[in-house]
């Protein structure tokens, strides 16, 4: 574990005593993915395939992966880091996985990929389930940490039900939402209040909120949020995507 993390933490606590600190952690990584060229044609991206690590074994560039096979996770590093957080009295931890740039299907399961990405190599539900499984394992190992779960947005209309079950059964302490908040920040509040879900505001994982900042534009829900949908930014995004 890098000593710079501890040094930086000491500096923050010295400059801002009493500040509560949380950590967002990719519990495991994998190798970069790219569109399968054999299934990419006419401007349509193929499903993602992993870059070959054959000449890079032992693999030293991932976190939470097997050095002998970096497409497989190994949580030993992750567990050591969470142990360090406990020693440093950092209790709030948001668990995620992968990288939004090199293997987005791991971190943000979606049916529609970013324009410079690749088609899902698996059912996005598999990515949701994997993150939930790993988060549950880590919560069981570290019951004193406040664990925030991730990757729930793809569940869409079913999100409140799955989130409630995960918290109730102790898989996670709370559920964090990212993409869903852009169009429907009141979703979980509505669920708690017993209100009907507003289906037209549910994130459908179109990924424009990811594509836009990659093109130098503000992130937002261009398909569903009227502010972005009818703005000049939407036209700029359309043009930028066409240049892929």
């Amino acid at each position: 574990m890098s000593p710079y993390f501890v040094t930086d933490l000491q500096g923050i606590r010295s400059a801002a005593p009493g500040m509560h600190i949380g950590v967002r952690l990719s519990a495991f990584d994998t190798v970069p993915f790219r569109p399968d060229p054999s299934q990419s044609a006419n401007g349509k991206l193929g499903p993602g395939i992993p870059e070959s690590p054959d000449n890079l074994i032992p693999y030293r560039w991932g976190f939470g992966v097997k050095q002998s096979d970096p497409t497989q996770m190994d949580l030993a590093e992750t567990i050591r880091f969470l142990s360090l957080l406990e020693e440093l009295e950092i209790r709030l931890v948001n668990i995620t996985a992968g990288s939004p740039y090199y293997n987005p299907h791991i971190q943000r399961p979606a049916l529609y990929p970013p324009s410079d990405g690749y088609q899902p190599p698996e059912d996005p539900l598999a990515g949701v389930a994997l993150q939930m499984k790993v988060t549950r394992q880590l919560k069981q190992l570290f019951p004193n940490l406040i664990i925030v779960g991730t990757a729930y947005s793809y569940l869409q209309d079913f999100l409140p039900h799955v989130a409630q079950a995960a918290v109730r059964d102790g898989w996670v302490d709370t559920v964090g939402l990212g993409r869903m908040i852009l169009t429907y920040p009141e979703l979980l509040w509505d669920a708690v209040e017993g209100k009907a879900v507003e289906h037209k505001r549910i994130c459908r994982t179109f990924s424009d909120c990811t594509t836009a900042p990659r093109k130098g534009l503000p992130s937002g829900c261009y398909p569903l949020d009227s502010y972005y949908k009818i703005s000049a930014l939407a036209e700029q995004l359309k043009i930028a995507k066409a240049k892929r």
Side-chain angles (χ1 to χ4, degrees):
M1 190 60 59
S2 170
Y4 296 111
F5 176 81
V6 177
T7 301
D8 289 344
L9 176 63
Q10 291 171 339
I12 292 170
R13 284 178 165 166
S14 175
M19 174 182 285
H20 294 288
I21 296 174
V23 170
R24 179 174 167 89
L25 172 68
S26 282
F28 62 92
D29 198 6
T30 186
V31 298
F33 274 60
R34 61 185 174 89
D36 185 345
S38 69
Q39 299 188 57
S40 301
N42 301 319
K44 182 176 176 58
L45 301 169
I49 56 174
E51 296 280 3
S52 173
D54 290 347
N55 299 321
L56 301 171
I57 303 298
Y59 194 80
R60 299 186 177 90
W61 295 272
F63 179 86
V65 299
K66 295 180 179 179
Q67 290 195 353
S68 59
D69 182 2
T71 63
Q72 301 296 316
M73 66 179 174
D74 178 350
L75 297 179
E77 250 183 335
T78 311
I79 291 169
R80 290 201 302 273
F81 183 71
L82 292 179
S83 296
L84 174 62
L85 294 184
E86 278 199 321
E87 293 174 15
L88 297 171
E89 298 182 347
I90 295 176
R91 295 188 60 212
L92 181 63
V93 185
N94 176 206
I95 298 295
T96 182
S99 165
Y101 304 103
Y102 307 121
N103 34 60
H105 76 281
I106 297 290
Q107 184 167 109
R108 296 182 184 136
L111 193 58
Y112 305 94
S115 66
D116 59 351
Y118 47 80
Q119 294 298 318
E122 61 186 11
D123 188 320
L125 282 175
V128 178
L130 181 58
Q131 285 211 45
M132 291 183 66
K133 175 184 176 182
V134 169
T135 301
R136 181 190 186 191
Q137 292 174 348
L138 296 174
K139 177 59 187 176
Q140 290 174 336
L141 290 172
F142 296 92
N144 294 323
L145 293 180
I146 302 170
I147 302 293
V148 182
T150 307
Y152 286 75
S153 285
Y154 180 74
L155 297 172
Q156 302 177 41
D157 301 72
F158 298 98
L159 190 159
H161 305 285
V162 178
Q164 181 188 49
V167 172
R168 181 190 61 220
D169 292 346
W171 289 31
V172 69
D173 293 299
T174 186
V175 168
L177 301 185
R179 295 166 288 176
M180 187 68 71
I181 294 300
L182 294 176
T183 56
Y184 199 171
E186 310 93 342
L187 173 61
L188 292 182
W189 182 265
D190 282 354
V192 170
E193 293 290 308
K195 298 178 181 178
V197 169
E198 298 182 41
H199 300 285
K200 291 185 177 181
R201 298 179 64 195
I202 293 285
C203 169
R204 302 302 177 187
T205 68
F206 291 119
S207 292
D208 277 358
C209 58
T210 301
T211 296
R214 290 187 183 186
K215 304 298 184 182
L217 299 168
S219 182
C221 187
Y222 288 79
L224 301 181
D225 187 329
S226 59
Y227 174 84
Y228 292 96
K229 190 173 185 178
I230 64 175
S231 70
L233 295 169
E235 184 61 27
Q236 293 177 46
L237 178 60
K238 181 179 179 181
I239 293 171
K241 290 169 66 175
K243 293 179 179 179
R244 175 175 54 81

